């Protein structure tokens, strides 16, 4: 499972912090979709639309007051956001306080008088603190370590955000700054092969495009011309298509139904006198691309798959691999070796994962420990049947609506659904309490087969999706000798990982609990449901809010 792909390590962005005393936060202008977000222009409300009544700058530089002396309506300012991406989440951060006029009008104590609206509809009502005039960030005093998120999902390229005061009571509101930014807590963790996607990779896309070429050699000519049958053997009949479907993607393949002769004999690419791993992969990948000939460009996410003739011998231990390519807009290719006919569709899918930038997840070091417990194809192509939730999310197959990000102290009872479910929460993400390059993920483990089941000498599954829950971390940059994704085992990793005992040791079932002394959250797997587990996540202190 060799991969020859250059990965770019991205630098890490800082954690968002907000300023003192209602002053502008230091990164107010970074990624802020609002103009004049600190009310610092000549007129504090420049670039803002005033609604209803007498919004004033009131001589107070860097703030805007929402005040309406007649109380007939709610004073508001609004601004239309443009170039939004439909389907993307945005968050609103506002530094504000009650105005001095509240007590004059008999309004004091905690009052929920400040509303954040999108397109005229209230999405969040905020409450002053008991002192009424102390600065707040969203729903928390400015001194708090975290604040509640105010988010909305864009359904069009423009939406109007409005800040409305005196809601339900005649207490005015002062706004120090506002920020609207794309929500980045669900962005990918920074750095490494599990991090943000980069231009060095191809986009997975909801439809995976495979351009399939059958190659043979003058010294090892083809035997069968039943290309459909050869492809069925490689993809395990409809199993590969079904696996992609469970993961939220479709696979589209075009079979070039003729044997293309490689320009050199097999013994040139796979010399029998040298170490098997020293095969001439550079010649092979260059010549393999040329087999496609000239013609129009392919879609940008196309992967070329070079399939060898069945039964060709002499490959020693050369394994199938993924490589860079540059031919008719194709930038990734997979070279399959003849043993692929004896393997599951998972070999091809593992290489497809490499094409999308994923690194290996099988053991990285000695002593041998297998730390993804057969739950991901990048870890093992014998037992696993698909990609973990994190990979699916990273490839763009996983809907953001199905992810719940938790960061605030509290107890959360969650009806966790299988990864293959299309509705409800099926993945929970928490930020590590101390490392901003590390995430924790809770999800339900997918199907796992045993070696006997894989070989067809036994039926059933080692794990059926819904039997077991898994908890894993994603950590970049990589820890030395470790892979970027590792299960947090309930008990331990067992040396022989393709067994129910090993799965039981790393996974969680009904009635079992995850708790670690140095981790400020625990997970109780309460009851098995028809399509997952009901779980309780208890967070004992606020966790960091941003991922990257
Ligand atoms: Zn590999």
């Amino acid at each position: 499972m060799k991969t020859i792909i250059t990965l770019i390590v991205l630098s890490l962005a800082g954690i968002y912090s907000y300023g003192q005393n209602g002053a502008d936060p230091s990164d107010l202008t970074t990624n802020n979709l609002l103009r004049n977000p600190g009310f610092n222009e000549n007129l504090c409300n420049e670039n803002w639309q005033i609604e209803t009544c007498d919004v004033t700058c009131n001589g107070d530089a860097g703030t805007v007051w929402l005040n309406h002396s007649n109380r007939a309506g709610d004073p508001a300012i609004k601004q239309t956001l443009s170039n939004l991406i439909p389907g993307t989440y945005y968050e609103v951060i506002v530094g504000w306080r009650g105005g001095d006029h509240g007590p004059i009008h008999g309004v004091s104590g905690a009052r929920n008088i400040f509303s954040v609206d999108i397109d005229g509809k209230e999405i969040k009502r905020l409450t002053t603190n008991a002192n009424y005039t102390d600065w707040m960030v969203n729903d928390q005093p400015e001194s708090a370590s975290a604040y509640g998120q105010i988010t909305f999902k864009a359904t069009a390229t423009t939406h109007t955000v409005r800040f409305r005061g005196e809601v339900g009571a005649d207490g005015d509101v002062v706004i120090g700054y506002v920020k609207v930014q794309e929500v980045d807590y669900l962005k990918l963790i920074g750095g490494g092969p599990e991090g943000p996607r980069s231009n060095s990779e191809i986009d997975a896309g909801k439809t995976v495009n495979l351009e399939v070429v059958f190659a043979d050699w003058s010294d090892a000519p083809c035997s069968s011309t039943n290309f459909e049958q050869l492809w069925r053997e490689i993809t395990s009949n409809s199993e590969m298509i079904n696996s992609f479907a469970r993961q939220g993607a479709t696979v589209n393949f075009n079979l070039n139904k003729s044997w293309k002769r490689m320009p050199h004999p097999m013994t040139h690419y796979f010399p029998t006198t040298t170490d098997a791993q020293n095969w001439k992969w550079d010649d092979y990948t260059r010549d393999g691309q040329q087999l496609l000939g000239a013609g129009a460009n392919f879609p940008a996410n196309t992967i070329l798959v070079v399939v060898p003739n069945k039964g060709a011998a002499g490959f020693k231990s050369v394994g199938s691999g993924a490589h860079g390519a540059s031919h008719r807009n194709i930038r990734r290719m997979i070279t399959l070796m003849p043993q692929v006919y004896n393997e599951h569709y998972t070999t091809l899918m593992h290489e497809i994962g490499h094409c999308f930038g994923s690194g290996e997840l099988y053991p990285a070091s000695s002593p041998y420990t297998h730390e993804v417990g057969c739950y991901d194809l990048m870890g093992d192509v014998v037992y696993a049947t698909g990609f973990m939730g994190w990979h699916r999310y990273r490839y763009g197959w996983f809907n953001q609506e199905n992810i719940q990000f938790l960061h605030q102290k509290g107890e959360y009872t969650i009806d966790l659904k299988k990864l293959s479910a299309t509705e409800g929460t099926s993945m929970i993400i928490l930020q590590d309490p101390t490392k901003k390059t590390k995430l924790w993920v809770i999800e339900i483990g997918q199907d796992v087969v045993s070696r006997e089941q894989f070989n067809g000498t036994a039926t059933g599954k080692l794990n059926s999706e819904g039997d077991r829950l898994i908890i894993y971390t994603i950590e970049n940059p990589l820890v030395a000798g470790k892979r970027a994704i590792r299960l947090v085992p309930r008990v331990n990793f067992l040396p022989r990982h393709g067994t129910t005992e090993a799965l039981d040791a790393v996974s969680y079932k009904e009635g079992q609990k995850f708790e670690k002394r140095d981790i400020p959250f625990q997970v109780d797997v309460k009851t098995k449901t028809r399509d997952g587990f009901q779980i309780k996540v208890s967070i004992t202190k606020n966790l960091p809010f941003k991922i990257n």
Side-chain angles (χ1 to χ4, degrees):
M1 313 306 145
K2 185 181 177 123
T3 176
I4 304 169
I5 289 173
T6 307
L7 294 159
I8 293 174
V9 177
L10 300 179
S11 62
L12 306 173
I15 287 185
Y16 181 76
S17 62
Y18 47 86
Q20 304 283 312
N21 305 318
D24 300 349
S26 57
D27 67 346
L28 189 59
T29 55
T30 308
N31 301 324
N32 198 340
L33 300 175
L34 293 168
R35 289 161 294 149
N36 189 18
F39 310 105
N40 289 325
E41 303 298 331
N42 295 331
L43 281 171
C44 67
N45 56 356
E46 197 168 315
N47 291 313
W48 290 91
Q49 276 180 274
I50 297 171
E51 202 174 76
T52 305
C53 48
D54 48 333
V55 168
T56 61
C57 304
N58 211 32
D60 189 341
T63 60
V64 67
W65 287 62
L66 305 178
N67 174 39
H68 186 213
S69 51
N70 266 332
R71 256 298 302 141
D74 300 334
I77 56 165
K78 64 181 182 181
Q79 197 174 125
T80 298
L81 306 160
S82 54
N83 300 320
L84 302 179
I85 305 162
T88 298
Y89 285 82
Y90 294 86
E91 67 175 315
V92 181
I93 301 164
V94 52
W96 69 288
R97 63 176 173 87
D100 301 342
H101 291 180
I104 295 171
H105 298 292
V107 177
S108 60
R111 292 290 189 127
N112 62 334
I113 55 170
F114 184 38
S115 172
V116 178
D117 306 339
I118 298 295
D119 297 341
K121 188 167 173 246
E122 180 174 310
I123 59 164
K124 184 73 181 178
R125 183 80 69 87
L126 298 168
T127 305
T128 65
N129 66 1
N131 292 335
Y132 190 76
T133 55
D134 287 350
W135 284 99
M136 309 281 290
V137 175
N138 289 7
D139 60 345
Q140 295 293 318
E142 198 181 38
S143 57
S145 62
Y147 48 83
Q149 286 177 282
I150 305 170
T151 60
F152 68 96
K153 182 183 177 183
T155 54
T157 56
T158 61
H159 286 288
T160 298
V161 59
R162 181 174 69 179
F163 301 93
R164 188 160 50 98
E166 298 193 3
V167 183
D170 193 9
D172 44 335
V173 165
V174 185
I175 308 177
Y177 61 86
V178 284
K179 185 168 191 177
V180 175
Q181 64 183 354
E182 194 180 323
V183 172
D184 66 359
Y185 62 71
L186 286 176
K187 275 192 177 163
L188 299 156
I189 193 168
E194 306 302 339
R197 300 182 54 72
S198 76
N199 290 334
S200 72
E201 301 168 4
I202 61 170
D203 283 328
K206 283 281 191 183
T207 300
V208 176
N209 286 314
L210 304 179
E211 186 70 21
V212 183
V213 166
F214 294 85
D216 71 350
W217 307 272
S218 57
D219 55 344
C222 63
S223 47
S224 167
T225 55
N226 190 342
F227 298 99
E228 299 277 3
Q229 174 59 26
L230 294 171
W231 185 246
R232 276 197 296 273
E233 290 179 32
I234 291 168
T235 59
S236 312
N237 297 311
S238 55
E239 281 193 63
M240 184 175 79
I241 294 168
N242 294 341
S243 177
F244 273 114
R246 286 195 301 274
Q247 298 176 74
T250 55
V251 57
N252 183 16
F253 47 83
N254 179 46
L255 305 184
N256 291 266
K257 293 180 189 169
S258 67
W259 286 102
K260 310 271 191 198
R261 180 61 50 87
M262 289 294 256
H264 298 288
M266 192 182 81
T267 48
H268 168 83
Y269 303 105
F270 306 96
T272 52
T273 53
T274 60
D275 185 286
Q277 291 303 325
N278 289 331
W279 69 291
K280 292 199 173 63
W281 63 268
D282 43 353
D283 284 2
Y284 196 80
T285 54
R286 183 199 59 222
D287 295 344
Q289 294 173 64
Q290 292 305 316
L291 296 183
L292 270 180
N297 278 353
F298 290 97
N301 72 336
T302 302
I303 298 169
L304 168 65
V305 183
V306 180
V307 176
N309 48 332
K310 188 179 174 183
F315 291 82
K316 291 189 177 177
S317 59
V318 178
S320 298
H323 316 265
S326 180
H327 186 71
R328 292 173 60 187
N329 207 33
I330 291 177
R331 298 199 291 124
R332 286 290 178 277
M333 66 185 293
I334 292 168
T335 52
L336 296 177
M337 295 300 141
Q339 65 265 35
V340 76
Y341 291 103
N342 305 317
E343 295 169 346
H344 224 191
Y345 68 92
T346 46
T347 295
L348 177 55
M349 204 179 263
H350 172 102
E351 303 305 341
I352 290 172
H354 281 315
C355 292
F356 299 152
S358 292
E360 310 292 5
L361 294 180
Y362 48 72
S365 63
S366 177
Y368 185 101
T369 50
H370 192 284
E371 297 182 329
V372 290
C374 311
Y375 288 111
D376 191 278
L377 281 171
M378 301 316 290
D380 202 309
V381 298
V382 173
Y383 309 104
T385 57
F387 295 108
M388 278 171 155
W390 180 258
H391 281 143
R392 299 179 194 191
Y393 172 56
R394 189 170 179 276
Y395 299 158
W397 301 342
F398 206 94
N399 291 326
Q400 199 151 296
E401 291 93 326
N402 302 123
I403 300 175
Q404 190 166 354
F405 181 80
L406 298 178
H407 70 99
Q408 283 203 307
K409 179 179 170 179
E411 289 195 346
Y412 303 83
T413 297
I414 296 165
D415 187 12
L416 188 65
K417 308 288 190 191
K418 296 174 184 174
L419 279 181
S420 60
T422 53
E423 296 202 340
T425 297
S426 43
M427 192 158 91
I428 297 167
I429 297 179
L430 304 100
Q431 167 77 2
D432 187 80
T434 55
K435 283 186 177 177
K436 62 183 176 181
T437 56
K438 183 174 178 179
L439 300 179
W440 295 71
V441 179
I442 305 166
E443 69 186 37
I444 290 171
Q446 60 188 296
D447 288 356
V448 177
V449 296
S450 68
R451 185 172 286 278
E452 293 72 29
Q453 288 150 358
F454 169 76
N455 290 335
T457 56
T459 56
K461 294 167 191 162
L462 218 53
N463 179 67
S464 288
E465 188 183 27
D467 285 352
R468 292 171 175 84
L469 176 137
I470 55 174
I471 298 173
Y472 57 93
T473 58
I474 304 152
E475 189 167 11
N476 286 312
L478 305 187
V479 175
K482 295 284 186 182
R483 299 302 192 190
I485 296 180
R486 312 193 295 279
L487 294 188
V488 181
R490 188 178 62 83
V491 183
N492 213 340
F493 293 111
L494 300 187
R496 185 161 178 259
H497 64 281
T499 62
T500 50
E501 293 74 27
L503 289 179
D504 284 340
V506 298
S507 320
Y508 301 79
K509 287 173 145 179
E510 182 177 271
Q512 294 180 333
K513 191 180 279 196
F514 161 88
E515 49 187 341
K516 297 236 181 290
R517 201 186 317 169
D518 53 343
I519 298 298
F521 59 83
Q522 64 182 49
V523 181
D524 292 85
V525 184
K526 297 293 225 188
T527 49
K528 193 168 181 312
T529 61
R530 191 174 54 84
D531 45 10
F533 286 110
Q534 189 177 74
I535 66 170
K536 187 176 81 178
V537 181
S538 309
I539 304 178
T540 54
K541 70 170 193 182
N542 285 331
L543 297 171
F545 165 64
K546 296 283 168 142
I547 280 175
N548 60 347

